[in-house]
Amino acid sequence: MRIIPAIDIIEGKCVRLSKGDYDTKKIYNENPLEVALEFADHGIEYLHLVDLDGAKSKHIVNHKVLEQIATKTELKIDFGGGLKTDEDLRIAFECGASQITGGSIAVKNPETFKSWLQKFGPDKIILGADANNEKIAVSGWQEESDQELIPFIKAYQQEGVSYVICTDISKDGMLQGPSFELYKRILEASKGLKLIASGGISTFDELPILAQLGCEGTIIGKAIYENRISLKQLERYILSKV
């Protein structure tokens, strides 16, 4: 299981929110590159970079941060937040993203999202399936749609999606543990899916459970920033799997 720390960006700074609420913003570092370099120093290979300004304004905003991290580290970056057009994707990939995550676009403009899958292939395009009460949420989690989570994932799997990041919004940033049961049901319903668990990870002991369930990766945010999980622990975990 891949370990994927998260850096969320508002106004170029590394922040965390609780349940996606912008009013709960806490700044952890003014310089996201410093954070990324520290991850890389501990053997981490992957990064989940979220442009929260982009998610709010519905177009890419913090691409300079992406470019800086991509050029100054070896991290393989999946980038998301407000990607709505072919131009947004061009900028993201040119600035060094290895993969992009599309969430709201997959709900509101499925034809565009499907065209990206066709054009770039399923290894480059991740489906962002963020849910509240198992209903897909969109627009930086500011809106709930009427789409049911598991049927939504299954429908896109039939369109060729192989990577899905699933965040249970009720858990995100709360440090109360992830939605093990939900991930188990998703994996049972969607054979062959590369599921990346996100939201609520609070202790190191949760990671082997997610791996055992069959998650392909896990995104860890606040638990790192609040020192609930140390980078040393993650480094040892990664080395033990090599």
Side-chain angles (χ1 to χ4, degrees):
M1 182 176 73
R2 293 184 300 133
I3 299 296
I4 313 166
I7 294 180
D8 291 358
I9 307 293
I10 291 180
E11 294 169 356
K13 296 168 186 166
C14 174
V15 306
R16 296 305 293 171
L17 309 180
S18 296
K19 297 186 182 179
D21 180 353
Y22 284 73
D23 293 336
T24 64
K25 178 181 81 175
K26 182 173 178 182
I27 297 169
Y28 284 96
N29 196 309
E30 302 271 334
N31 183 354
L33 176 61
E34 264 178 26
V35 181
L37 286 166
E38 197 178 354
F39 291 158
D41 285 347
H42 285 84
I44 284 160
E45 293 177 56
Y46 303 95
L47 177 66
H48 178 64
L49 187 62
V50 182
D51 181 358
L52 288 173
D53 294 314
K56 225 174 184 180
S57 54
K58 299 181 172 51
H59 61 85
I60 195 167
V61 174
N62 286 295
H63 51 91
K64 290 286 179 227
V65 176
L66 166 62
E67 190 171 40
Q68 197 182 29
I69 294 172
T71 51
K72 302 249 167 58
T73 74
E74 298 289 313
L75 293 166
K76 297 176 189 77
I77 303 167
D78 83 72
F79 183 81
L83 302 175
K84 295 283 178 280
T85 62
D86 291 1
E87 178 65 5
D88 288 334
L89 252 64
R90 184 189 65 75
I91 294 167
F93 284 130
E94 280 185 7
C95 289
S98 299
Q99 295 176 300
I100 67 93
T101 301
S104 303
I105 185 86
V107 177
K108 294 189 162 185
N109 195 342
E111 293 317 311
T112 297
F113 186 76
K114 288 173 195 172
S115 76
W116 295 349
L117 273 172
Q118 293 295 319
K119 187 174 177 185
F120 298 101
D123 286 343
K124 289 278 191 189
I125 307 293
I126 303 170
L127 176 65
D130 302 333
N132 224 345
N133 306 314
E134 296 195 36
K135 290 269 179 38
I136 294 288
V138 294
S139 306
W141 301 351
Q142 307 301 300
E143 297 172 45
E144 204 175 274
S145 76
D146 58 1
Q147 300 249 25
E148 296 280 348
L149 174 64
I150 291 177
F152 175 76
I153 291 172
K154 286 184 75 170
Y156 267 115
Q157 203 182 7
Q158 287 172 342
E159 295 287 344
V161 160
S162 57
Y163 286 94
V164 172
I165 293 173
C166 180
T167 307
D168 182 343
I169 294 164
S170 68
K171 303 275 189 184
D172 191 66
M174 303 311 289
L175 296 171
Q176 291 167 358
S179 292
F180 296 120
E181 275 308 309
L182 179 61
Y183 299 138
K184 188 177 173 200
R185 282 193 288 118
I186 291 169
L187 286 162
E188 282 169 357
S190 315
K191 299 296 179 204
L193 190 72
K194 291 172 180 165
L195 181 66
I196 299 162
S198 165
I201 310 246
S202 58
T203 69
F204 180 79
D205 297 339
E206 291 157 359
L207 302 183
I209 302 170
L210 290 169
Q212 209 169 3
L213 284 177
C215 293
E216 190 272 341
T218 184
I219 291 170
I220 312 171
K222 196 177 270 188
I224 293 173
Y225 298 106
E226 297 282 343
N227 299 313
R228 302 284 192 95
I229 297 176
S230 73
L231 292 177
K232 254 299 171 240
Q233 280 176 303
L234 294 177
E235 186 173 13
R236 281 197 296 271
Y237 179 84
I238 292 161
L239 286 171
S240 76
K241 303 297 168 196
V242 172

